Amino acid sequence: MRLKRGSEYGIHGVLYLAMQPKDKTTLLNEVAEVLKIPKSYLSKIFQTYTKAGILKSFRGAKRGFALTRPPEKITLKELVESFEGKLLVEGCSLGRDDCPQNKHCSISKRLRKAQSAMDEVLEKTSLKDLMMNFKKI
Amino acid sequence: MRLKRGSEYGIHGVLYLAMQPKDKTTLLNEVAEVLKIPKSYLSKIFQTYTKAGILKSFRGAKRGFALTRPPEKITLKELVESFEGKLLVEGCSLGRDDCPQNKHCSISKRLRKAQSAMDEVLEKTSLKDLMMNFKKI
DNA sequence: TATCTAATAGACCCACTAAGTCCATTTGGA
DNA sequence: TCCAAATGGACTTAGTGGGTCTATTAGATA
């Protein structure tokens, strides 16, 4: 179970922003070049994060991207979910909404439990935690 | 994060086998019809399980499928993994094996931790657990 | 007010996977 | 040797992932 490449690029990109001086805005171009990510693709990803309220973008003179919140208030969960979609699905985890078992299906129950175990770890991890032992590039 | 349809069909199919009298072999056709799964597709899925050592198949007169082990010895994890692939990946969870951080990447570490939390729940769940509150169809 | 540069929106593309289908072959007991 | 079902492999079709390209817009400054 790998994350999508977009998640990878995105998380690295956001981490790069987090390591910049506070209140500085950074150009997409810089991030893309340093991290060797196709610029037009990273552009899409950052747009997604912007809509998700994780990044804010600026045009004009003081242009570029920056975090909307301090790193300790951005969780790995929201980063992952904004690209992968919700980890924890409602209803039948198997996608069979016409299942006779419906809500009471023991399979769905266990799968949901497994997913929420994963969810919890991601929720507890902040961008700051990730920065801690991430060497400066 | 939904499972693939193949996993869904497969888990339901195997659960159906588990609920049959011990040592009985059941025809693919029966399973497919009762569970309303395309027969040719379920055939592929059961073949996968057979290769994975979860099911055994018979030809000739006493034909059909059966579990290789008692339900309490078959875990949800192996059912899921035989269709979805390993949940827990080695190396960079982000797929960047050329990452300068390599093994020490804090992102990968947390993602692996999240995945193994999920893994653990699936590992602890046996087919028997699933049977417990699964009403007879 | 015109200009410049980068962010934004959206259309488009290719490769690959998911989800099945179909058919020819094999198996093993009656 | 016949039968019915399991097997293997080729094939299809729809959808997603992973991008690219271009035109438009925003906003500080000259």
Side-chain angles (χ1 to χ4, degrees), chain A residues 2 23 60 63-64 73 87 96 103 110 116-117 131:
Chain A
R2 294 227 130 118
D23 294 326
R63 54 191 174 269
K73 298 219 167 155
L87 292 172
R96 275 215 151 174
K103 303 266 176 199
R110 296 307 271 178
S116 60
M131 291 167 68

Side-chain angles (χ1 to χ4, degrees), chain B residues 4-6 9 38 40-41 44 59-62:
Chain B
K4 297 182 193 170
R5 194 164 296 240
Y9 290 159
S40 49
Y41 191 34
K44 295 294 171 198
R59 293 170 162 195
K62 190 175 155 291

Side-chain angles (χ1 to χ4, degrees), chain A residues 27-71:
Chain A
L27 294 184
L28 177 69
N29 207 40
E30 178 185 333
V31 184
E33 271 181 18
V34 174
L35 300 182
K36 299 195 179 29
I37 297 171
K39 183 186 161 188
S40 49
Y41 191 34
L42 186 61
S43 161
K44 294 293 170 198
I45 300 167
F46 272 15
Q47 278 176 43
T48 304
Y49 286 146
T50 303
K51 281 174 194 158
I54 296 169
L55 297 184
K56 53 190 166 185
S57 64
F58 303 92
R59 293 172 163 194
K62 191 175 155 289
R63 54 191 174 269
F65 290 86
L67 305 182
T68 54
R69 282 163 274 155

Side-chain angles (χ1 to χ4, degrees), chain B residues 9-27:
Chain B
Y9 290 159
I11 297 172
H12 272 120
V14 170
L15 197 47
Y16 184 86
L17 294 180
M19 296 192 303
Q20 301 308 306
K22 201 170 175 324
D23 292 328
K24 187 197 157 201
T25 66
T26 306
L27 295 183

Side-chain angles (χ1 to χ4, degrees), chain A residues 11 74-80 122 125-126 130, chain B residues 110-111:
Chain A
I11 297 172
I74 295 176
T75 69
L76 184 52
K77 182 183 167 190
E78 48 179 336
L79 288 171
V80 171
L122 297 179
T125 306
S126 75
L130 296 181
Chain B
R110 296 305 271 179
L111 288 172

